[in-house]
Amino acid sequence: MSLLVVGLSHRSSPVSVLERAALSADAQVKLLQDTVAAEPAAEAAVLATCNRIELYADVDKFHAGVAELSTLLAQHSGVGLDELTPYLYVHYEDRAVHHLFAVACGLDSMVVGEGQILGQIKDSLARAQELHTAGRLLNDLFQQALRVGKRAHSETGIDRAGQSLVSFGLEQLAAGEAVQSWARGKKALVIGAGSMSSLAAATLARAGVAEVVVANRTVERAERLAQILAAAGNTGVVARAVAMHAVPAELTRADVAVSCTGATGLVLTAETIAAGVEGRTGAPAAEALRTTPAGPHGGARDRAPAPRDAAGYAGPAGDEREENCPLDLSAVPGAAAFSVLGEAAVAGMAAAELEQHAVWADKGDVAVRAQPGPGTGTDPAGDADAIAALAATVAVAGRVPERRRPEPVAEAPRPAPALFLLDLAMPRDIDAAVHRLAGVRLVDIESLAEASADAPMAADVDQVRRIVSDEVAAFGAAQRAAHITPTVVALRTMAADVVAGEIARLDGRLPGLDERQRGEIRQAVHRVVDKLLHAPTVRVKQLAAEPGGTGYADALRTLFDLDPETVASVSRAEDSTDEKDRGPA
């Protein structure tokens, strides 16, 4: 069996594809169960964060394993295999080990050196252990990855190379100003109460904000986080909890809002943000949502609005055109008057889906939400025709073409932000059309990825890379040595059985021996056998730990005619013992 990883990350995929491929907690569980049920895989673990989705497995066949893992990732992410495949990477055996160790050290993070990934790796291992999908290999691998990551942070200055995604996002919001100076006295709204939201709330409190309001669909969790913040006497921050339906009202009071929920739809629409800014400043922000002339635009794929809760929270998606749209619509008739419910909503859709979207728009759902006005370029009736035109185009081309890096668009001068927004969710929580709102600064995963590409690398990164290389070699040697251990144990067991048989035969031939004499003979025979086996077994373990040493186990089994079932039973017994002792580091 061999280690295989198939995945995609911010380095291999556009954020729009990564966003659509994001796995819910339930989807991760089902993916693990289906992977170990598949023929090529014996073990499986999923590492899913806001900027990577990776499936690790112990497989017996490389090509069959790649095909099966890729298919399962596509199936459970909901992104078609043909569309997902160009963005997938594959690592095998030592390269797979190297990749996970580098990830654990923060070398592959959006913000180099961040330590939050260690907690995410620990959670991934715990989930696989709970579902019994992690066996000897993945347990050893993830446990060692955690140790390598901790070693990198304790022995080097990799922490100076970067910080958490939260801290990096706040730096981008502060736009060159010191975060402590920028945050001092501000009122913050944190949407969500999970690990990332909790980190954001704590970071804001330490940075000096005057108030943190926590909103969550489960109010009890929000109250618990608010109590923890208030109890931290070193910050002096005022903390309170609210229900999700209170978010629009809180936006009129907040200076900065951070959102990181597990919602599959938008949590904050452009209209909600615009209303919050207008309620705070008294000046309308909606005019910045008007469309511009035809051409390449900014932004990522639009998402459907999140379901409304009992209080009616979570409004519809906006009808405004998004920035940085990855679609190339220059050859599509009618694209010049295409609103966001058409243009940005169809990124990567297949022809059948586009046709369904056209029917949806034609039924008037767009007309209900749209508010046409002079110069807005919004034509609800035209959306259905434009989407139908796209459907015809994609039926020939296969799918709507996407640009990895859209062309920049010249922007008009913008007023100073009245509301700062940080979206750390994947899929996104905040409508990307907010980028066009006057008086708002939005930083999301996509803009963080662009900013981090130019971040300076610390000198300590080279030292961490050397640590990773050394640890990969050590892990490989340990795994190869462990591979031969059951064979060595089976050999010694066979030798002990031969000694026991010969002693029993001697007792029958020499019945007059007393117990002391029998003991001396028994010890002498055991010493002879142990001395004969000591040097070969020690040496074979050393040789097996070297690259290419896996064949020594087969040689031992052949030379001593060892029963394969005996070797396998030793291995199963060791695995059973290890399972009882294992736990996340």
Side-chain angles (χ1 to χ4, degrees):
M1 304 295 281
S2 299
L3 178 66
L4 175 67
V5 56
V6 177
L8 68 161
S9 74
H10 66 285
R11 296 187 184 277
S12 70
S13 165
V15 173
S16 60
V17 175
L18 192 61
E19 180 182 39
R20 291 165 53 211
L23 297 170
S24 66
D26 289 343
Q28 291 178 44
V29 170
K30 193 65 169 63
L31 175 57
L32 284 173
Q33 293 170 336
D34 288 354
T35 301
V36 294
E39 183 179 345
E43 306 177 30
V46 172
L47 179 58
T49 72
C50 58
N51 53 31
R52 76 178 63 252
I53 304 163
E54 296 177 342
L55 179 56
Y56 291 78
D58 186 11
V59 299
D60 57 3
K61 298 173 184 175
F62 172 72
H63 291 98
V66 172
E68 187 66 32
L69 266 59
S70 302
T71 301
L72 288 169
L73 271 177
Q75 175 185 333
H76 290 280
S77 69
V79 179
L81 182 59
D82 289 344
E83 183 180 359
L84 194 63
T85 298
Y87 307 117
L88 292 177
Y89 47 77
V90 174
H91 298 299
Y92 190 55
E93 294 188 327
D94 284 355
R95 289 302 307 169
V97 176
H98 188 283
H99 174 74
L100 182 59
F101 287 4
V103 168
C105 294
L107 292 180
D108 198 56
S109 295
M110 188 178 293
V111 181
V112 173
E114 59 95 8
Q116 189 176 358
I117 186 65
L118 285 174
Q120 294 162 333
I121 291 173
K122 187 175 182 180
D123 291 343
S124 297
L125 175 58
R127 185 186 305 109
Q129 288 174 335
E130 181 181 352
L131 296 170
H132 304 290
T133 63
R136 172 190 286 272
L137 176 60
L138 291 187
N139 270 293
D140 290 350
L141 174 69
F142 275 67
Q143 295 275 17
Q144 188 65 18
L146 291 170
R147 287 190 284 268
V148 173
K150 291 174 184 177
R151 180 187 169 193
H153 284 281
S154 64
E155 295 183 13
T156 76
I158 189 68
D159 291 334
R160 295 193 297 267
Q163 63 277 81
S164 74
L165 205 58
V166 172
S167 300
F168 189 61
L170 293 178
E171 283 188 359
Q172 298 307 303
L173 283 181
E177 186 179 357
V179 171
Q180 284 77 9
S181 301
W182 167 82
R184 188 173 297 116
K186 281 183 167 59
K187 296 177 180 178
L189 171 64
V190 175
I191 304 173
S195 58
M196 185 74 83
S197 298
S198 299
L199 177 61
T203 304
L204 285 165
R206 287 195 301 270
V209 296
E211 180 184 48
V212 175
V213 178
V214 183
N216 196 57
R217 293 195 181 276
T218 305
V219 180
E220 291 77 14
R221 293 191 66 188
E223 291 173 342
R224 198 155 51 241
L225 177 54
Q227 290 170 359
I228 293 172
L229 293 171
N234 58 332
T235 63
V237 67
V238 175
R240 57 189 177 89
V242 299
M244 286 294 287
H245 64 78
V247 166
E250 293 296 336
L251 283 172
T252 65
R253 302 178 62 255
D255 300 295
V256 55
V258 180
S259 187
C260 186
T261 73
T264 55
L266 293 175
V267 174
L268 295 177
T269 64
E271 289 87 354
T272 303
I273 299 298
V277 173
E278 187 168 351
R280 177 179 174 79
T281 65
E287 58 262 37
L289 295 173
R290 293 176 183 170
T291 57
T292 55
H297 300 282
R301 183 185 64 89
D302 191 30
R303 288 166 56 214
R308 294 175 180 270
D309 60 16
Y313 177 67
D319 58 284
E320 59 281 352
R321 177 175 240 130
E322 284 190 88
E323 245 182 313
N324 297 324
C325 175
L327 301 180
D328 183 4
L329 301 172
S330 58
V332 179
F338 219 10
S339 78
V340 89
L341 286 179
E343 175 183 315
V346 297
M349 282 189 181
E353 293 174 297
L354 283 165
E355 289 166 357
Q356 291 173 359
H357 197 110
V359 171
W360 169 79
D362 201 28
K363 286 181 178 178
D365 205 12
V366 172
V368 171
R369 292 175 168 85
Q371 296 177 354
T376 64
T378 302
D379 178 11
D383 272 359
D385 294 337
I387 296 171
L390 277 172
T393 301
V394 80
V396 177
R399 64 185 177 93
V400 177
E402 295 186 34
R403 289 202 188 101
R404 289 300 297 273
R405 285 193 172 275
E407 298 174 12
V409 179
E411 293 186 358
R414 300 167 66 95
L419 178 61
F420 297 85
L421 300 171
L422 178 58
D423 185 358
L424 297 173
M426 182 62 72
R428 71 184 69 216
D429 279 347
I430 302 176
D431 190 346
V434 168
H435 278 295
R436 296 186 60 83
L437 276 173
V440 177
R441 177 177 295 158
L442 169 62
V443 171
D444 54 18
I445 293 295
E446 191 163 25
S447 52
L448 284 175
E450 294 173 357
S452 66
D454 300 324
M457 298 285 283
D460 299 276
V461 168
D462 287 339
Q463 186 178 352
V464 173
R465 286 177 176 150
R466 288 193 291 272
I467 289 175
V468 169
S469 296
D470 292 344
E471 291 285 356
V472 170
F475 182 82
Q479 289 297 305
R480 289 188 292 270
H483 178 70
I484 203 170
T485 297
T487 303
V488 171
V489 171
L491 174 61
R492 288 191 170 275
T493 300
M494 183 192 75
D497 290 342
V498 170
V499 169
E502 289 301 317
I503 293 297
R505 195 160 65 90
L506 184 63
D507 285 343
R509 290 184 175 183
L510 300 173
L513 294 175
D514 58 31
E515 190 59 35
R516 185 186 65 81
Q517 292 171 328
R518 286 194 185 92
E520 288 290 341
I521 294 172
R522 188 181 299 110
Q523 288 183 13
V525 175
H526 275 294
R527 281 196 297 269
V528 170
V529 171
D530 286 343
K531 287 182 178 180
L532 286 174
L533 290 181
H534 176 72
T537 53
V538 169
R539 184 59 180 148
V540 80
K541 286 183 178 180
Q542 294 172 342
L543 293 171
E546 297 175 0
T550 54
Y552 286 99
D554 294 333
L556 269 185
R557 287 193 292 270
T558 301
L559 287 172
F560 288 93
D561 195 23
L562 297 176
D563 181 8
E565 180 54 34
T566 302
V567 176
S569 65
V570 172
S571 183
R572 285 195 296 269
E574 288 186 347
D575 286 346
S576 177
T577 302
D578 288 346
E579 284 295 327
K580 295 177 182 178
D581 298 335
R582 261 180 211 123

